[in-house]
Amino acid sequence: MRHTALATLCLAAAATLSLTGCQSGQDKADSKPDKNGSSAASSPAPSKSETKEPFAGLTGAEIADKAVAATTGASSLRMKGDVPDDESGSTITLDMALNKQGECAGTMSMGGQGKADLIKVGDTVYMKYDEKFLREQSKGEKKSDVDAAVALLAGKWTKMSAKGKDAKDIASFCDLDTVLDDADDAETDASRGKTTTVDGTPAIVLHERDGKERYTLYVATEGKPYLLRVDSVSAKDPGTLTFSDYDKKVPAQKPSGEILDLDALGG
């Protein structure tokens, strides 16, 4: 299946976490919003000022191309939202800042069951899990083994080499170039919608359609045309990702205090 350009930005970010909620396909998008579609998150407020039409004379596809160029050209950004995970049938919630130097800092959870903190600095990945997260991810394992893991890891910072087998996938998610690698090659069939705001930033809405699936995308109309938000408004796989803090410093620093070396424990 071909993915449209802006949806690919969402998909690329999600794919490194086995998320598949942001696909879009070849069907030509309607220029009107889907009357039955509704976002999983609260809808952005309509813009009060429309004195000048943003992107005058440009089609939805042309706006999408500009958004892809701006977004992939950023040195860093922050992704935040809830995206369905088809493999587990659950939802992954993430709030992560990352850059093109491979640094990241943020949190993630699965199905609202606990939280894991993630930091990558240089060639080291630091993670901290709470007890709820560890027990949820260890379902089906022997109780004594789970209890031992909780006693060893819960609430403590751990570290692994980013080049090690167990940390490679996590480390690749921290690299913005890797996350957005396929976005430039995607095609778009987006159509224009109304103007609005996303967290106070003026934006234009783009609509994309893949059969019964609907996607709503928001592109900044002031400054660089960054992608601000992607909503999957389908009943099957609702999800939202917001993109912010473009070109800002990622707060990735080695945690203070005691850190458990998982590579050393593994021998």
Side-chain angles (χ1 to χ4, degrees), residues 79-144:
M79 297 186 298
K80 183 178 181 180
D82 302 311
V83 186
D85 176 23
D86 285 352
E87 184 176 344
S88 67
S90 185
T91 299
I92 293 179
T93 300
L94 71 156
D95 184 354
M96 196 71 57
L98 61 159
N99 63 26
K100 291 185 175 180
Q101 286 70 52
E103 298 175 320
C104 70
T107 63
M108 62 182 70
S109 66
M110 179 78 77
Q113 300 299 310
K115 183 185 73 169
D117 296 292
L118 168 64
I119 299 173
K120 180 177 174 290
V121 180
D123 290 329
T124 304
V125 173
Y126 301 93
M127 294 196 74
K128 181 172 68 174
Y129 318 87
D130 65 16
E131 179 176 347
K132 194 173 184 180
F133 184 93
L134 289 168
R135 292 193 180 280
E136 179 67 19
Q137 298 307 307
S138 301
K139 280 186 175 180
E141 301 292 331
K142 190 176 178 181
K143 184 178 184 302
S144 59

Side-chain angles (χ1 to χ4, degrees), residues 11-263:
L11 179 63
T16 55
L17 294 175
S18 299
L19 312 180
T20 56
C22 306
Q23 297 177 348
S24 184
Q26 298 182 12
D27 294 335
K28 195 67 177 178
D30 195 316
S31 61
K32 298 180 181 180
D34 177 34
K35 294 181 180 180
N36 297 321
S38 59
S39 172
S42 60
S43 298
S47 175
K48 293 182 179 180
S49 175
E50 296 182 339
T51 56
K52 183 178 180 181
E53 181 185 7
F55 302 112
L58 297 184
T59 66
E62 290 169 334
I63 298 170
D65 288 341
K66 287 183 174 293
V68 169
T71 301
T72 58
S75 62
S76 64
L77 57 78
R78 178 184 179 187
M79 297 186 298
K80 183 178 181 180
D82 302 311
V83 186
D85 176 23
D86 285 352
E87 184 176 344
S88 67
S90 185
T91 299
I92 293 179
T93 300
L94 71 156
D95 184 354
M96 196 71 57
L98 61 159
N99 63 26
K100 291 185 175 180
Q101 286 70 52
E103 298 175 320
C104 70
T107 63
M108 62 182 70
S109 66
M110 179 78 77
Q113 300 299 310
K115 183 185 73 169
D117 296 292
L118 168 64
I119 299 173
K120 180 177 174 290
V121 180
D123 290 329
T124 304
V125 173
Y126 301 93
M127 294 196 74
K128 181 172 68 174
Y129 318 87
D130 65 16
E131 179 176 347
K132 194 173 184 180
F133 184 93
L134 289 168
R135 292 193 180 280
E136 179 67 19
Q137 298 307 307
S138 301
K139 280 186 175 180
E141 301 292 331
K142 190 176 178 181
K143 184 178 184 302
S144 59
D145 292 340
V146 176
D147 289 343
V150 168
L152 178 66
L153 301 174
K156 301 173 184 177
W157 279 107
T158 67
K159 70 175 183 178
M160 297 180 287
S161 169
K163 298 179 180 179
K165 180 180 178 181
D166 294 333
K168 278 186 176 180
D169 289 342
I170 296 173
S172 66
F173 175 69
C174 289
D175 188 335
L176 185 58
D177 275 329
T178 299
V179 170
L180 301 181
D181 183 52
D182 294 329
D184 285 332
D185 297 328
E187 298 180 33
T188 182
D189 55 5
S191 62
R192 294 178 62 122
K194 298 179 178 180
T195 54
T196 184
T197 60
V198 177
D199 295 329
T201 300
I204 189 169
V205 178
L206 300 179
H207 300 286
E208 306 213 279
R209 176 180 295 178
D210 179 14
K212 294 182 179 180
E213 306 304 312
R214 300 290 185 273
Y215 304 92
T216 306
L217 308 106
Y218 303 83
V219 177
T221 59
E222 293 183 359
K224 294 184 179 180
Y226 288 130
L227 177 66
L228 301 177
R229 176 168 162 170
V230 178
D231 292 342
S232 168
V233 293
S234 68
K236 180 181 179 183
D237 290 320
T240 295
L241 275 179
T242 61
F243 298 81
S244 62
D245 292 351
Y246 283 96
D247 294 323
K248 290 188 177 181
K249 181 177 175 60
V250 172
Q253 295 182 332
K254 178 182 176 180
S256 59
E258 184 178 355
I259 300 174
L260 187 63
D261 189 337
L262 296 184
D263 292 333

